[in-house]
Amino acid sequence: MYSVNEIKKGLEEKEFSTVEIVREYLEKIKKKDDKIKSFITLREEEALKEAEETDKKIASGKKLKILEGIPIGLKDNIATKGLKTTCSSKILEDFIPPYDAGAAIKIKEKGGIILGKLNMDEFAMGSSTENSAFFDTKNPWDLERVPGGSSGGSAAAVSAGFAPITYGSDTGGSVRIPASFCGVVGLKPTYGLVSRYGLIALASSLDQIGPFGKSVEDCIYGLKGVQGFDEKDSTSKDVKMPDYFKEIKKGIKGLKVGVPEEFFAHGIDKEVKEKVEYNIKILEKLGAHVEKFSLPITATGLSAYYIVSSAEASSNLGRYDGVRYGVRTDEYKSFKELIVKSRTEGFGEEVKRRIMLGTYALSSGYYDAYYKRAMIFRKKVEKLFDEAFEKYDVVVSPTLPVLPFKLGEKRSNPMEMYLSDTFTVNINLAGIPAVSVPAGFSKEGLPIGIQFIGDKFREDILFRFAYALEQEIKLNLNPWKEGR
Amino acid sequence: MKVSRDEVKYIGKLANLRFNEEEMDKLIKEFESILEHFVNLEEENLDGYEMYSFDEKSLRTRTDEVVNFDNRDKLFSNVKKMRDKCIEIPKVVD
């Protein structure tokens, strides 16, 4: 399909209309998404109406905004006014928000046309999108494999060419993991850069909305479409960001790259390790100074992340009681039973497991050993990253230690699933940005991602590295082959 | 690390969730495997770090003023049933 720049140019030069573009994407989704299963809800009628309005604007000669006429997909935990927002959960299967999320407001203000809502792990808890209460999403590169998670629908949709830009949310890797598995670019912005207002919370101190694109430039358009201050999010930051499009042209010559040895240690797939190391050599060839260093946070960071995120989730999900909204049980004898049965029937297995884990970590007798210690370790992670960014412009690692795995392969072993997040969770604990960029393919043709980690509000540096690598290795990122 | 059945039952009560015997057995095993991994937190040297240090993070405040939101229909659009200004739920006490 098209890049954002191709669509913008085509609309400006009147090669095609917005209605034609939106219709083309919708038709592709209707024709091909039965194989991938990325969308939960399509917004066909409204999207075409908005496209007509954009065409009127173009005809009248008005200046077009940054996302004007660009088809967009949103993860189904981003509230959309009048459009079902389920969080891929039975408990919210009939929930229609009466308001738009901060990110959705910005997308609409900037002219983006929302095509629909995308599948995810229930309440964003998972790394494979197998925890959706509705259906599994498939990896466009191999339909027997998972697309990664929790924003698996968003990554698969961009990879399959169903929209040039989609959005997900990243609490412990939920944008970067599916970006890596589906061979697309996915950014987890600095905590506070994108509004969380209307993002249905998993863990409020870690959650951040981030864009997916097939190229670094599309991902930049995605970020520019949603970044910026929002008074409705008390953790939103008012920071002036540079022009990323200018920045990426500067190259990476003379910049310093730190390679944390622990991110290449035992447990990592041989092909992943070799491919990422090969890409690091390319960075050197492009003029960056590469140096190995020690960042001993991977194993403990995973523990701290699962304790903190589950604790926050157990509190955030306390609101689902079957009374004010969401699914309500049919039979009960008391008010307490109404709540317990509604929650027990409405939540899926992984959500219940994490609520239990979080409640356990916060309960009297275990609070000091788990929650408090995890929160203190979080401070250590922040300090270690601060020290790293005194020496390096960017820290680089594989996005995941494994290749995209088969559907069902890790479903019955939660701890094994959690281990997939080893290289991504610490970034959320520290509140810093990171981007996953396609680095190549395994012998079997499965995508491998490389992760660039930056200091707070230094998305510009991440994009410089991502763009330099992308332009040098020039991968074919179209997953559709004959016969598929 | 061992987790007892009573502990899981108690946590379930706090979390407003119910599990049958089979689910409970499975949950205990999974909990033990997850908590085993968490042991690395105990081994970590955390001297010199504090849980709360807000030195550089000043939280933003907003003006304390009343903002009326009068579109009640919109606010309660996902409620199953309303009576006057109240959410109506089925009778739960005799």
Side-chain angles (χ1 to χ4, degrees), chain A residues 95-96 98 233-234 299-300 303 307 326 328 332 336 343-344 349 353 366-367 370 373 379-380, chain B residues 1 7-8 11 15-16 18 26 30 37-38 40-41 44-45 50-51 60 74 78-80 89-90:
Chain A
F95 178 61
I96 299 173
D233 171 3
S234 64
T300 317
S303 302
I307 291 166
R328 181 184 295 164
Y332 48 88
K336 175 84 176 166
R343 287 167 63 80
T344 302
E349 206 179 334
R353 191 181 296 123
Y366 295 107
Y367 175 88
Y370 292 111
R373 236 179 134 69
K379 294 283 174 194
K380 186 172 179 176
Chain B
M1 185 172 165
E7 265 177 319
V8 175
I11 299 298
N16 279 326
R18 191 176 292 161
K26 195 167 169 267
E30 288 165 353
H37 185 89
F38 290 176
N40 52 28
L41 254 181
E44 196 73 37
N45 179 7
E50 278 178 50
M51 183 168 170
R60 185 165 43 81
K74 221 167 104 185
N78 284 281
V79 169
K80 310 253 181 265
I89 64 159

Side-chain angles (χ1 to χ4, degrees), chain A residues 29-95:
Chain A
I29 294 165
K30 283 197 268 181
K31 200 172 148 203
K32 290 192 161 179
D33 198 35
D34 59 333
K35 289 191 180 79
I36 309 288
K37 309 283 265 179
S38 61
F39 277 88
I40 294 177
T41 309
L42 266 188
R43 188 175 169 266
E44 197 172 351
E45 208 177 302
E46 300 93 324
L48 285 168
K49 253 188 216 159
E50 286 169 12
E52 275 175 32
E53 291 304 313
T54 307
D55 282 334
K56 279 183 202 160
K57 225 171 144 181
I58 295 170
S60 69
K62 277 189 188 156
K63 196 171 179 283
L64 299 183
K65 292 176 189 161
I66 189 159
L67 292 182
E68 206 86 63
I70 306 297
I72 305 278
L74 294 183
K75 187 176 182 178
D76 212 16
N77 59 352
I78 299 170
T80 39
K81 192 175 173 180
L83 184 68
K84 212 168 59 162
T85 301
T86 68
C87 249
S88 285
S89 180
K90 244 171 82 179
I91 213 156
L92 283 178
E93 66 186 355
D94 57 359
F95 178 61

Side-chain angles (χ1 to χ4, degrees), chain A residues 127-282:
Chain A
S127 316
S128 67
T129 313
E130 292 168 293
N131 295 329
S132 166
F134 308 130
F135 45 79
D136 291 343
T137 296
K138 317 281 170 57
N139 190 319
W141 293 93
D142 180 343
L143 300 178
E144 287 178 7
R145 291 179 192 266
V146 301
S150 66
S151 315
S154 306
V158 161
S159 169
F162 298 155
I165 298 172
T166 62
Y167 292 90
S169 63
D170 190 315
T171 304
S174 285
V175 165
R176 291 159 286 153
I177 289 168
S180 173
F181 273 11
C182 291
V184 297
V185 183
L187 172 81
K188 183 260 159 200
T190 308
Y191 186 77
L193 184 60
V194 181
S195 169
R196 288 184 302 107
Y197 171 68
L199 169 68
I200 298 177
L202 160 52
S204 311
S205 76
L206 304 163
D207 297 341
Q208 190 65 190
I209 290 174
F212 291 93
K214 231 176 193 172
S215 66
V216 176
E217 284 186 328
D218 285 0
C219 191
I220 291 176
Y221 276 115
L223 181 62
K224 283 172 81 88
V226 292
Q227 72 180 18
F229 181 68
D230 181 359
E231 62 171 6
K232 287 179 177 158
D233 171 3
S234 64
T235 56
S236 177
K237 292 274 192 297
D238 198 359
V239 179
K240 175 123 182 61
M241 301 301 278
D243 182 346
Y244 306 125
F245 289 118
K246 271 190 193 157
E247 292 296 315
I248 57 173
K249 305 289 181 198
K250 290 181 180 169
I252 57 168
K253 200 171 174 191
L255 294 183
K256 289 180 195 145
V257 181
V259 180
E261 283 166 331
E262 291 80 1
F263 285 63
F264 292 79
H266 68 278
I268 184 172
D269 181 278
K270 197 169 163 265
E271 282 195 84
V272 172
K273 186 172 183 270
E274 284 172 3
K275 187 62 74 183
V276 174
E277 284 172 344
Y278 169 76
N279 276 272
I280 292 172
K281 285 207 179 91
I282 293 175

Side-chain angles (χ1 to χ4, degrees), chain A residues 252 257 259 264 273-292 396 450 452 465 469 472-473:
Chain A
I252 57 168
V257 181
V259 180
F264 292 79
K273 186 172 183 270
E274 284 172 3
K275 187 62 74 183
V276 174
E277 284 172 344
Y278 169 76
N279 276 272
I280 292 172
K281 285 207 179 91
I282 293 175
L283 301 178
E284 260 183 319
K285 198 186 101 186
L286 294 172
H289 301 296
V290 177
E291 190 180 290
K292 283 186 183 170
V396 68
I450 184 169
F452 294 105
F465 274 92
L469 186 66
E472 183 66 20
I473 61 178

Side-chain angles (χ1 to χ4, degrees), chain A residues 401-457:
Chain A
V402 291
L403 290 167
F405 44 87
K406 292 235 162 118
L407 284 150
E409 193 181 318
K410 294 182 195 280
R411 213 188 300 232
S412 58
N413 189 339
M415 194 58 229
E416 209 179 305
M417 186 75 87
Y418 297 170
L419 287 169
S420 318
D421 310 347
T422 304
F423 299 155
T424 50
V425 292
N426 282 295
I427 280 76
N428 301 72
L429 288 175
I432 53 180
V435 65
S436 178
V437 185
F441 297 89
S442 71
K443 285 183 196 115
E444 259 188 285
L446 300 169
I448 295 170
I450 184 169
Q451 174 175 241
F452 294 105
I453 307 163
D455 203 357
K456 283 179 186 163
F457 300 104

